[in-house]
Amino acid sequence: MLASCIGVCLNEADSRVGREGMVPEELQVSIVGGGIGGLTAALALRARGLSVTVFEQANELREIGAGVTINPNAMLLLHRIGLADQIERIGCLITGQVMRTSAGELINASTPRSTSSQSYNVHRAELLKLLAEAQPEGTLHLGHRLSGAREIDDRVILNFSNGVSVKTDVAIGADGIHSTLQREIGLKTFPLSEGIMAYRGLIPTEKLSWAKDIGGRMSRWIGKGRSFLCYPVSRGRLLNMVAFVPTDLDTEESWTAPGDLMTLRAEYAGWDDPVLETIGALDSTFRWGIYDRAPLPYWSSGRATLLGDAAHAMVPHLGQGAAQAIEDGFTLAVFLEGARAPDTPKRLKAYERTRLARTSQIQALARETGRLFRAEYDDPVERDRFMAKWMAANGQIRAYDAEAVAKDAFVLASDAGSI
Ligand SMILES: Cc1cc2nc3c(=O)[nH]c(=O)nc-3n(C[C@H](O)[C@H](O)[C@H](O)COP(=O)(O)OP(=O)(O)OC[C@H]3O[C@@H](n4cnc5c(N)ncnc54)[C@H](O)[C@@H]3O)c2cc1C
């Protein structure tokens, strides 16, 4: 059950359209958090006829200067809400992946097998802008930071620190790794340092001689305890760099803490020339402490649930964090379509059951992938064996149709009388 509300309800708004009127009551869904997960979920829910409002704490939508990979399992879903063309317009189609040792010896090179397995690298800020602009007017409410939530009389009351209080039928916490709604439904996560941190930065591609004909290729170098990843974003205009290094510091779990270029350079002394050229071309860098979390025991309580990083934050090595948030939104839309207010607790539990095993499995694979990229496999045979296993598992993750799985799960749950 939701914890008691601490905030004072100064300006209580009932967000359900036609509650007292003659028109049929429409389920009102409120999403807390206007990041990649929250905004995509709003579009997926709306596409199934639900009435949705998004509350975002920031006064203006901002994203960090970094790239994000939209893997095929997410592209498939974005295509269904008409966004694929726009992703193609802002992004870079991934045309291959090359993995090398720190000295530059080739370990593995792959190319996408078919158009159905296409992935794009995009600039996070450009993706967020696209998702925000796709929202119908009046959907997104900025400057609303959730401070408390409670369930009363079959509805959830959301209290925001600007004094606004909103009643809703369903509350979805898409409020990221430090989720307030997660806390309000009685959960607590314990971030565990992976013992590594990442430096990241963006460089105009034209400044790098080695990247002149990079096309859509992703390049990764792996060496003892660290790795270095580069890929183009913004239609190839910028190169996104992420450099994972060991740390025994309790680094901040922030995406925007400034990093030191001299220290970064020292971390990669003696590495392959493109790595050194890339670091040399950076004007600034940011540090990012990498933390892992165990799967949560549940995501839903009554009429509230979680999605994205609030539900299953994972280490970034598989590039699936955003994709899993997107899958969550589409699954929720299937389970909430046509629901009446009294149905929602069971529907949210069914959503959780459908998603929890998959995201827990992906959290675990992302952790193992980190070990591969940090070259923790001393024996190359063992490394290649894991690599083959990893590529097969990753292929399965990327070939998944979350919406189709949700529809089947919905039918099964209906037949079993559990929703
Ligand atoms: C540098 C970097 C690279 C990554 N690369 C990839 C990749 O290549 N592929 C991939 O799939 N994933 C990647 N990820 C992971 C991915 O970005 C996250 O998993 C994804 O952003 C999660 O989306 P979300 O909407 O759940 O959370 P977020 O993007 O964190 O959004 C949460 C939103 O909630 C808002 N919020 C927080 N608290 C409140 C509150 N109390 N009230 C109201 N609003 C609130 C925040 O302001 C924010 O807008 C990467 C992550 C990082 C940092």
Side-chain angles (χ1 to χ4, degrees), residues 32-38 55-57 67-69 124 144-146 174-176 180 200 255 288 308-309 319-323:
V32 179
I36 297 170
F55 298 98
E56 163 60 39
Q57 64 178 355
V68 57
T69 303
R124 295 177 69 96
H144 283 66
R145 180 182 175 75
L146 184 76
D175 49 349
T180 301
R200 54 175 188 77
W255 296 353
W288 163 33
D309 280 4
Q320 277 288 337

Side-chain angles (χ1 to χ4, degrees), residues 202-389:
L202 289 169
I203 305 132
T205 314
E206 61 180 19
K207 281 176 83 175
L208 299 166
S209 63
W210 74 270
K212 288 273 181 291
D213 51 3
I214 192 167
R217 212 171 55 239
M218 295 183 80
S219 303
R220 191 187 305 269
W221 289 260
I222 66 175
K224 198 72 191 149
R226 62 203 74 205
S227 66
F228 197 87
L229 171 68
C230 290
Y231 58 81
V233 295
S234 297
R235 294 200 67 79
R237 200 171 48 78
L238 296 170
L239 192 85
N240 182 61
M241 170 229 77
V242 193
F244 294 98
V245 302
T247 181
D248 51 11
L249 295 174
D250 216 3
T251 41
E252 215 178 322
E253 201 180 15
S254 158
W255 296 353
T256 51
D260 178 46
L261 285 172
M262 296 263 285
T263 315
L264 170 60
R265 207 166 293 140
E267 292 278 4
Y268 290 88
W271 278 50
D272 198 14
D273 287 346
V275 172
L276 303 180
E277 188 191 349
T278 307
I279 296 173
L282 281 166
D283 291 328
S284 61
T285 184
F286 294 90
R287 284 181 302 125
W288 163 33
I290 310 291
Y291 287 81
D292 198 8
R293 286 167 172 79
L296 291 170
Y298 64 91
W299 301 354
S300 309
S301 169
R303 289 165 171 76
T305 195
L306 305 174
L307 68 74
D309 280 4
H312 46 65
M314 56 187 70
V315 287
H317 312 297
L318 212 50
Q320 277 288 337
Q324 290 310 303
I326 291 168
E327 287 191 359
D328 290 342
F330 278 78
T331 305
L332 259 175
V334 169
F335 278 98
L336 289 179
E337 183 178 12
R340 295 168 308 118
D343 306 335
T344 54
K346 283 183 175 175
R347 299 261 185 133
L348 296 183
K349 272 291 170 202
Y351 149 73
E352 173 191 311
R353 278 197 303 277
T354 307
R355 295 294 301 151
L356 194 55
R358 172 163 166 86
T359 56
S360 303
Q361 183 211 355
I362 293 173
Q363 281 175 305
L365 189 65
R367 200 171 299 137
E368 275 302 300
T369 307
R371 292 192 57 210
L372 172 72
F373 292 163
R374 291 193 297 278
E376 286 179 13
Y377 292 91
D378 287 326
D379 174 4
V381 175
E382 196 200 350
R383 179 196 69 198
D384 291 348
R385 197 177 300 130
F386 178 74
M387 177 101 73
K389 208 175 105 190

Side-chain angles (χ1 to χ4, degrees), residues 56-237:
E56 163 60 39
Q57 64 178 355
N59 290 322
E60 58 181 295
L61 278 190
R62 275 213 208 114
E63 252 297 352
I64 57 168
V68 57
T69 303
I70 311 287
N71 273 304
N73 49 315
M75 275 306 287
L76 174 84
L77 302 174
L78 295 174
H79 182 73
R80 293 189 185 142
I81 49 170
L83 292 182
D85 288 353
Q86 294 176 58
I87 302 280
E88 286 168 23
R89 188 174 48 72
I90 63 165
C92 281
L93 174 67
I94 300 179
T95 54
Q97 306 219 25
V98 177
M99 198 182 295
R100 297 179 183 278
T101 64
S102 56
E105 292 145 16
L106 188 68
I107 298 175
N108 177 283
S110 62
T111 46
R113 287 197 195 96
S114 67
T115 47
S116 64
S117 64
Q118 283 181 342
S119 307
Y120 285 81
N121 283 321
V122 299
H123 191 301
R124 295 177 69 96
E126 292 170 7
L127 174 63
L128 203 71
K129 183 167 180 283
L130 186 159
L131 293 172
E133 286 175 358
Q135 307 292 329
E137 197 157 342
T139 303
L140 181 58
H141 296 256
L142 299 173
H144 283 66
R145 180 182 175 75
L146 184 76
S147 54
R150 64 188 161 142
E151 195 172 323
I152 295 181
D153 296 338
D154 298 344
R155 307 202 71 200
V156 182
I157 298 179
L158 299 173
N159 292 311
F160 297 94
S161 41
N162 59 3
V164 171
S165 189
V166 168
K167 278 186 189 168
T168 187
D169 295 312
V170 183
I172 300 172
D175 49 349
I177 44 177
H178 304 295
S179 168
T180 301
L181 198 63
Q182 184 196 79
R183 180 197 71 202
E184 293 295 277
I185 63 173
L187 292 163
K188 191 166 168 54
T189 55
F190 299 92
L192 299 166
S193 171
E194 246 198 342
I196 57 164
M197 56 178 264
Y199 289 91
R200 54 175 188 77
L202 289 169
I203 305 132
T205 314
E206 61 180 19
K207 281 176 83 175
L208 299 166
S209 63
W210 74 270
K212 288 273 181 291
D213 51 3
I214 192 167
R217 212 171 55 239
M218 295 183 80
S219 303
R220 191 187 305 269
W221 289 260
I222 66 175
K224 198 72 191 149
R226 62 203 74 205
S227 66
F228 197 87
L229 171 68
C230 290
Y231 58 81
V233 295
S234 297
R235 294 200 67 79
R237 200 171 48 78

